[in-house]
Amino acid sequence: MSSANDAFENARHTYDEHMRTCRQCHADAARCAVAKHLLRICNNARREQLRATGQ
């Protein structure tokens, strides 16, 4: 279970960091392609975390 939590936390941190540092994401209201990809990874990790905890 901790690996699912770690994967989610890592994905969330990577996405948040990108959103803070990406010039395009910061300037525009729309996310860039990298942000969309990182968000997909984050959502997949969250789903896996929920499966691992049985919710």
Side-chain angles (χ1 to χ4, degrees):
M1 182 168 92
S2 66
S3 66
N5 289 337
D6 292 344
F8 173 70
E9 290 300 321
N10 185 32
R12 187 71 191 169
H13 174 74
T14 303
Y15 173 74
D16 290 340
E17 186 68 23
H18 174 81
M19 292 300 288
R20 279 193 298 276
T21 59
C22 175
R23 186 174 9 144
Q24 181 180 345
C25 291
H26 191 70
D28 299 337
R31 293 180 217 122
C32 72
V34 173
K36 290 176 185 177
H37 179 71
L38 292 172
L39 184 59
R40 247 181 257 119
I41 292 170
C42 187
N43 288 337
N44 289 341
R46 182 177 47 84
R47 273 189 229 107
E48 185 58 35
Q49 180 188 32
L50 291 175
R51 277 189 214 116
T53 60
Q55 294 179 356

